[in-house]
PDB file of all heavy atoms in Angstrom:
ATOM      1  N   MET A 329     -57.770  26.244 -49.029  1.00 95.00           N
ATOM      2  CA  MET A 329     -57.911  26.489 -47.596  1.00 95.00           C
ATOM      3  C   MET A 329     -56.945  25.630 -46.800  1.00 95.00           C
ATOM      4  O   MET A 329     -56.354  26.079 -45.810  1.00 95.00           O
ATOM      5  CB  MET A 329     -59.345  26.209 -47.158  1.00 95.00           C
ATOM      6  CG  MET A 329     -60.373  27.171 -47.701  1.00 95.00           C
ATOM      7  SD  MET A 329     -62.062  26.602 -47.362  1.00 95.00           S
ATOM      8  CE  MET A 329     -63.017  28.070 -47.777  1.00 95.00           C
ATOM      9  N   ASN A 330     -56.794  24.379 -47.207  1.00 94.00           N
ATOM     10  CA  ASN A 330     -55.898  23.456 -46.502  1.00 94.00           C
ATOM     11  C   ASN A 330     -54.444  23.917 -46.571  1.00 94.00           C
ATOM     12  O   ASN A 330     -53.677  23.729 -45.621  1.00 94.00           O
ATOM     13  CB  ASN A 330     -56.006  22.054 -47.094  1.00 94.00           C
ATOM     14  CG  ASN A 330     -57.306  21.353 -46.752  1.00 94.00           C
ATOM     15  OD1 ASN A 330     -57.965  21.704 -45.779  1.00 94.00           O
ATOM     16  ND2 ASN A 330     -57.678  20.362 -47.547  1.00 94.00           N
ATOM     17  N   ARG A 331     -54.050  24.495 -47.703  1.00 94.00           N
ATOM     18  CA  ARG A 331     -52.638  24.804 -47.936  1.00 94.00           C
ATOM     19  C   ARG A 331     -52.227  26.197 -47.467  1.00 94.00           C
ATOM     20  O   ARG A 331     -51.039  26.478 -47.349  1.00 94.00           O
ATOM     21  CB  ARG A 331     -52.313  24.661 -49.429  1.00 94.00           C
ATOM     22  CG  ARG A 331     -52.345  23.238 -49.934  1.00 94.00           C
ATOM     23  CD  ARG A 331     -51.826  23.130 -51.365  1.00 94.00           C
ATOM     24  NE  ARG A 331     -52.673  23.839 -52.325  1.00 94.00           N
ATOM     25  CZ  ARG A 331     -52.344  24.974 -52.905  1.00 94.00           C
ATOM     26  NH1 ARG A 331     -51.185  25.562 -52.641  1.00 94.00           N
ATOM     27  NH2 ARG A 331     -53.166  25.563 -53.764  1.00 94.00           N
ATOM     28  N   THR A 332     -53.161  27.078 -47.206  1.00 95.00           N
ATOM     29  CA  THR A 332     -52.811  28.453 -46.827  1.00 95.00           C
ATOM     30  C   THR A 332     -52.423  28.512 -45.354  1.00 95.00           C
ATOM     31  O   THR A 332     -53.202  28.136 -44.481  1.00 95.00           O
ATOM     32  CB  THR A 332     -54.002  29.398 -47.076  1.00 95.00           C
ATOM     33  OG1 THR A 332     -54.389  29.309 -48.446  1.00 95.00           O
ATOM     34  CG2 THR A 332     -53.638  30.830 -46.730  1.00 95.00           C
ATOM     35  N   PRO A 333     -51.226  28.991 -45.035  1.00 95.00           N
ATOM     36  CA  PRO A 333     -50.796  29.042 -43.630  1.00 95.00           C
ATOM     37  C   PRO A 333     -51.481  30.168 -42.867  1.00 95.00           C
ATOM     38  O   PRO A 333     -52.009  31.122 -43.453  1.00 95.00           O
ATOM     39  CB  PRO A 333     -49.290  29.276 -43.736  1.00 95.00           C
ATOM     40  CG  PRO A 333     -49.109  30.002 -45.027  1.00 95.00           C
ATOM     41  CD  PRO A 333     -50.161  29.453 -45.956  1.00 95.00           C
ATOM     42  N   ASP A 334     -51.467  30.055 -41.555  1.00 94.00           N
ATOM     43  CA  ASP A 334     -52.141  31.032 -40.698  1.00 94.00           C
ATOM     44  C   ASP A 334     -51.609  32.446 -40.898  1.00 94.00           C
ATOM     45  O   ASP A 334     -52.367  33.422 -40.869  1.00 94.00           O
ATOM     46  CB  ASP A 334     -51.981  30.639 -39.225  1.00 94.00           C
ATOM     47  CG  ASP A 334     -52.877  29.479 -38.832  1.00 94.00           C
ATOM     48  OD1 ASP A 334     -53.708  29.060 -39.668  1.00 94.00           O
ATOM     49  OD2 ASP A 334     -52.748  28.984 -37.697  1.00 94.00           O
ATOM     50  N   GLY A 335     -50.292  32.556 -41.064  1.00 94.00           N
ATOM     51  CA  GLY A 335     -49.721  33.886 -41.242  1.00 94.00           C
ATOM     52  C   GLY A 335     -50.304  34.601 -42.441  1.00 94.00           C
ATOM     53  O   GLY A 335     -50.542  35.815 -42.406  1.00 94.00           O
ATOM     54  N   GLN A 336     -50.591  33.853 -43.515  1.00 95.00           N
ATOM     55  CA  GLN A 336     -51.178  34.454 -44.706  1.00 95.00           C
ATOM     56  C   GLN A 336     -52.631  34.826 -44.474  1.00 95.00           C
ATOM     57  O   GLN A 336     -53.105  35.868 -44.933  1.00 95.00           O
ATOM     58  CB  GLN A 336     -51.070  33.494 -45.885  1.00 95.00           C
ATOM     59  CG  GLN A 336     -51.418  34.123 -47.228  1.00 95.00           C
ATOM     60  CD  GLN A 336     -50.495  35.281 -47.586  1.00 95.00           C
ATOM     61  OE1 GLN A 336     -49.278  35.193 -47.431  1.00 95.00           O
ATOM     62  NE2 GLN A 336     -51.071  36.390 -48.048  1.00 95.00           N
ATOM     63  N   PHE A 337     -53.360  33.979 -43.712  1.00 94.00           N
ATOM     64  CA  PHE A 337     -54.744  34.335 -43.384  1.00 94.00           C
ATOM     65  C   PHE A 337     -54.794  35.629 -42.568  1.00 94.00           C
ATOM     66  O   PHE A 337     -55.717  36.435 -42.716  1.00 94.00           O
ATOM     67  CB  PHE A 337     -55.429  33.207 -42.609  1.00 94.00           C
ATOM     68  CG  PHE A 337     -56.032  32.136 -43.496  1.00 94.00           C
ATOM     69  CD1 PHE A 337     -55.690  30.805 -43.324  1.00 94.00           C
ATOM     70  CD2 PHE A 337     -56.935  32.469 -44.493  1.00 94.00           C
ATOM     71  CE1 PHE A 337     -56.232  29.822 -44.135  1.00 94.00           C
ATOM     72  CE2 PHE A 337     -57.491  31.486 -45.308  1.00 94.00           C
ATOM     73  CZ  PHE A 337     -57.134  30.161 -45.141  1.00 94.00           C
ATOM     74  N   GLN A 338     -53.811  35.839 -41.697  1.00 92.00           N
ATOM     75  CA  GLN A 338     -53.778  37.085 -40.937  1.00 92.00           C
ATOM     76  C   GLN A 338     -53.543  38.285 -41.860  1.00 92.00           C
ATOM     77  O   GLN A 338     -54.099  39.360 -41.654  1.00 92.00           O
ATOM     78  CB  GLN A 338     -52.710  37.026 -39.846  1.00 92.00           C
ATOM     79  CG  GLN A 338     -53.046  36.071 -38.709  1.00 92.00           C
ATOM     80  CD  GLN A 338     -54.371  36.390 -38.062  1.00 92.00           C
ATOM     81  OE1 GLN A 338     -55.433  36.028 -38.565  1.00 92.00           O
ATOM     82  NE2 GLN A 338     -54.324  37.101 -36.949  1.00 92.00           N
ATOM     83  N   THR A 339     -52.728  38.083 -42.883  1.00 93.00           N
ATOM     84  CA  THR A 339     -52.518  39.158 -43.851  1.00 93.00           C
ATOM     85  C   THR A 339     -53.802  39.465 -44.590  1.00 93.00           C
ATOM     86  O   THR A 339     -54.155  40.631 -44.811  1.00 93.00           O
ATOM     87  CB  THR A 339     -51.406  38.760 -44.834  1.00 93.00           C
ATOM     88  OG1 THR A 339     -50.193  38.573 -44.111  1.00 93.00           O
ATOM     89  CG2 THR A 339     -51.199  39.840 -45.887  1.00 93.00           C
ATOM     90  N   TYR A 340     -54.540  38.432 -44.987  1.00 94.00           N
ATOM     91  CA  TYR A 340     -55.819  38.658 -45.656  1.00 94.00           C
ATOM     92  C   TYR A 340     -56.768  39.468 -44.774  1.00 94.00           C
ATOM     93  O   TYR A 340     -57.576  40.263 -45.265  1.00 94.00           O
ATOM     94  CB  TYR A 340     -56.480  37.333 -46.022  1.00 94.00           C
ATOM     95  CG  TYR A 340     -55.741  36.532 -47.077  1.00 94.00           C
ATOM     96  CD1 TYR A 340     -55.670  35.147 -47.009  1.00 94.00           C
ATOM     97  CD2 TYR A 340     -55.112  37.163 -48.148  1.00 94.00           C
ATOM     98  CE1 TYR A 340     -54.994  34.410 -47.963  1.00 94.00           C
ATOM     99  CE2 TYR A 340     -54.424  36.441 -49.109  1.00 94.00           C
ATOM    100  CZ  TYR A 340     -54.369  35.055 -49.012  1.00 94.00           C
ATOM    101  OH  TYR A 340     -53.693  34.335 -49.966  1.00 94.00           O
ATOM    102  N   ALA A 341     -56.685  39.267 -43.432  1.00 91.00           N
ATOM    103  CA  ALA A 341     -57.584  39.979 -42.511  1.00 91.00           C
ATOM    104  C   ALA A 341     -57.293  41.476 -42.476  1.00 91.00           C
ATOM    105  O   ALA A 341     -58.136  42.256 -42.028  1.00 91.00           O
ATOM    106  CB  ALA A 341     -57.453  39.396 -41.102  1.00 91.00           C
ATOM    107  N   THR A 342     -56.116  41.880 -42.961  1.00 90.00           N
ATOM    108  CA  THR A 342     -55.752  43.303 -42.907  1.00 90.00           C
ATOM    109  C   THR A 342     -55.716  43.948 -44.292  1.00 90.00           C
ATOM    110  O   THR A 342     -55.444  45.141 -44.406  1.00 90.00           O
ATOM    111  CB  THR A 342     -54.359  43.466 -42.259  1.00 90.00           C
ATOM    112  OG1 THR A 342     -53.368  42.843 -43.099  1.00 90.00           O
ATOM    113  CG2 THR A 342     -54.328  42.833 -40.878  1.00 90.00           C
ATOM    114  N   GLU A 343     -55.959  43.152 -45.341  1.00 93.00           N
ATOM    115  CA  GLU A 343     -55.836  43.670 -46.704  1.00 93.00           C
ATOM    116  C   GLU A 343     -57.198  43.936 -47.341  1.00 93.00           C
ATOM    117  O   GLU A 343     -58.247  43.685 -46.748  1.00 93.00           O
ATOM    118  CB  GLU A 343     -55.041  42.670 -47.566  1.00 93.00           C
ATOM    119  CG  GLU A 343     -53.558  42.616 -47.245  1.00 93.00           C
ATOM    120  CD  GLU A 343     -52.819  43.881 -47.669  1.00 93.00           C
ATOM    121  OE1 GLU A 343     -53.395  44.695 -48.424  1.00 93.00           O
ATOM    122  OE2 GLU A 343     -51.665  44.055 -47.237  1.00 93.00           O
TER     123      GLU A 343
END
Side-chain angles (χ1 to χ4, degrees):
M329 292 170 168
N330 288 338
R331 291 188 295 107
T332 303
D334 285 354
Q336 191 61 45
F337 275 125
Q338 290 304 81
T339 298
Y340 293 143
T342 65
E343 288 290 347

